């Protein structure tokens, strides 16, 4: 999917807090995909968001993690459709920040 939603005037979706609150990084399905590709769980989640067409903005106070996260855009690895489907199944409609439906 492109991440653009024409129903709402071509709005670009942004993955605010795309790594969750560590719970997603610890999820076994995310870890399994990371091992399969030889990347970190955070890179898996960032790639998932990017491949869904969202703008993802991770943050870390650790410079090494910032570099590691940035590699998600340039390492040439693309998650296969079956792995994207596995990650899609993680959705439980939990919001890690504010709820946009309350705006």
């Amino acid at each position: 999917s492109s991440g653009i939603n024409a129903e709402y005037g071509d709005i670009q979706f942004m993955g605010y807090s795309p790594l969750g609150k560590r719970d997603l990084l610890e999820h076994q399905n995310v870890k399994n995909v990371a091992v399969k590709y030889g990347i970190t769980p955070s890179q898996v989640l960032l790639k998932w968001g990017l491949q869904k067409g969202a703008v993802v903005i991770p943050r870390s106070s650790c410079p090494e993690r910032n570099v590691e996260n940035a590699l998600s855009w340039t390492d040439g690895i693309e998650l296969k459709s079956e792995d994207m489907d596995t990650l899609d199944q993680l959705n439980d409609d939990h919001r890690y920040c504010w709820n946009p439906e309350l705006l």
Side-chain angles (χ1 to χ4, degrees):
S1 96
S2 71
I4 303 289
N5 190 326
E7 180 181 349
Y8 295 105
D10 292 332
I11 294 171
Q12 174 66 52
F13 290 105
M14 180 178 75
Y16 184 82
S17 195
L19 303 178
K21 295 195 187 282
R22 298 223 40 96
D23 57 333
L24 293 174
L25 295 171
E26 299 296 325
H27 195 285
Q28 193 59 50
N29 288 349
V30 174
K31 288 181 176 182
N32 291 344
V33 172
V35 168
K36 179 177 178 179
Y37 290 91
I39 58 179
T40 66
S42 61
Q43 289 172 316
V44 167
L45 295 172
L46 295 172
K47 285 181 178 299
W48 175 85
L50 290 168
Q51 285 180 227
K52 288 289 187 176
V55 173
V56 293
I57 304 175
R59 64 178 181 84
S60 175
S61 59
C62 176
E64 292 82 14
R65 282 201 190 105
N66 285 322
V67 170
E68 176 184 285
N69 291 337
L71 290 175
S72 299
W73 293 283
T74 61
D75 63 11
I77 295 172
E78 185 170 323
L79 303 179
K80 294 181 180 178
S81 62
E82 62 265 18
D83 298 315
M84 292 293 288
D85 292 342
T86 295
L87 297 170
D88 287 346
Q89 299 306 310
L90 298 178
N91 179 32
D92 64 1
D93 289 329
H94 179 80
R95 302 291 182 258
Y96 288 95
C97 296
W98 47 272
N99 184 344
E101 294 179 1
L102 298 178
L103 292 179

